[in-house]
Amino acid sequence: MAKRALITGITGQDGAYLAQYLLSKGYEVHGAVRRSSHGGVADHRLEWLGIREQVRLHDANMLDLASLIRLVQEVRPDEFYNLAAQSFVATSWNQPILTGQITAIGVSHALEAIRIAKPDTRFYQASSSEMYGLIQQPVQSEDTPFYPRSPYAVAKLYGHWITVNYRESFGMHASSGILFNHESPLRGREFVTRKVTDGVARIKLGLADELRLGNIDAKRDWGHARDYVKAMWLMLQQDAADDYVVATGTTTTVRDMCAIAFEHVGLDIEEHLVIDPEFFRPAEVDVLLGDPSKARRVLGWEPETSLGAMIREMVDADMTRLSQPSPPPAISMPL
Ligand code: GDD
């Protein structure tokens, strides 16, 4: 019989790529989606990957424990991937309580639903390198102490530790993947890589003439989401649950990442990049650099896509999107 997977956050970047990967492995894939009054389900990423008709979507909400219990009872998943979150760091200062409710307490809801309805379900928690924040070691591994720097990171830290706690308290097969930044053409346009690739494509096509960014000295360890979802799956195939850093092991400034995008379309970065204080954050994570050696050793996982190849893929995808008859509007909210 086909294994069944349940994914929260299935309409997001990672949810869509994970669904595609699990389908390719013969899984029956179910997703939890939150209803909203303005238009239907935000399933354009599933459409983009051509898998919308192959996944089964269910109405549920991370804030509603009963909806998650019912969902686990109904789907009876072998594997539960908790990817739902308020995941944009900048917004977490404007909506700190909602961020805590979804990104922190939502994890408790997911774990409780499993504990009550089907305790042998294997659980994956999407933890984040943002938890390292004000880094305590130059290269961050599973043993590096955390120092969160945003309401988002504080909430993720709760999600991480409650996952560890349920594993230790109830013997649940609950793993936490500490994923460093991972991007793709399906990334939301509020995150810096996609903001850059979308912005560069607009400039190239004559739809804009500048790109406004905040702290371009920040450094991130960027990988491709398509590679990173494979690590999630591998974690749940191990006999014992555990925690793993998923990263490339190289770090790059926002400025240098941006330069790759401009260079790809033959534009001069100096002519178009504008530094705008509006995009600076109240507290910054200056640098992140992960050590993925445990994931490599235990899971046999390797990142396959370089930053350069990924940024070029993203610029090309944005050029194609924007060349279509009715391109999406420019970002109107301050991101
Ligand atoms: N978004 C954004 N917009 N970021 C900018 C901008 C801008 O205009 N200008 C500079 N930056 C800098 C941010 O200050 C930050 O240092 C860096 O670019 C990356 O920002 P994001 O792409 O928004 O990602 P993030 O690192 O804050 O968080 C992402 O990665 C985490 C994993 O480390 C998110 O995906 C989180 O959900 C994820 O947990």
Side-chain angles (χ1 to χ4, degrees), residues 161-179:
W161 281 117
I162 201 69
T163 301
V164 173
N165 183 259
Y166 271 50
R167 178 166 80 221
E168 295 177 353
S169 303
F170 306 116
M172 281 174 51
H173 196 292
S175 293
S176 174
I178 306 172
L179 269 55

Side-chain angles (χ1 to χ4, degrees), residues 87 128-129 152 181 187 190 192 195 214 218 220 281 284:
S87 66
S128 164
S129 56
Y152 165 80
N181 298 49
R187 191 56 145 150
E190 63 273 37
V192 75
K195 182 173 173 182
R220 288 293 182 275
R281 296 174 176 182
E284 179 62 288

Side-chain angles (χ1 to χ4, degrees), residues 44 54 76 97 107 129 135 170 211 229 236 252 284 287:
H44 61 275
Q54 294 164 57
R76 305 208 54 75
I97 296 166
V107 188
S129 56
I135 53 168
F170 306 116
L211 172 64
V229 299
L236 298 206
T252 308
E284 179 62 288
V287 52

Side-chain angles (χ1 to χ4, degrees), residues 56 72 103 107 117 161 165 191 209-210 246 261 274 301 309 311 333:
R56 302 177 202 193
V72 174
T103 307
V107 188
W161 281 117
N165 183 259
F191 299 94
D209 51 22
E210 60 178 29
V246 179
V274 178
W301 178 83
I311 294 296
M333 61 187 273

Side-chain angles (χ1 to χ4, degrees), residues 7 9-24 29 42-55 183-187 224-227 229 313 317 321:
I7 305 173
I10 194 167
T11 54
Q13 166 189 262
D14 294 6
Y17 277 115
L18 179 64
Q20 183 185 46
Y21 186 58
L22 295 177
L23 286 167
S24 78
V29 177
D43 54 6
H44 61 275
R45 293 185 173 94
L46 299 170
E47 294 275 6
W48 202 78
L49 293 177
I51 57 169
R52 172 63 192 88
E53 300 309 321
Q54 294 164 57
V55 300
E183 322 290 313
S184 75
L186 297 185
R187 191 56 145 150
H224 199 302
R226 199 172 42 216
D227 295 344
V229 299
E313 178 191 343
R321 276 193 191 104

Side-chain angles (χ1 to χ4, degrees), residues 235-246:
M235 286 177 216
L236 298 206
Q237 310 317 306
Q238 306 305 305
D239 289 339
D242 206 344
D243 308 320
Y244 297 89
V245 160
V246 179

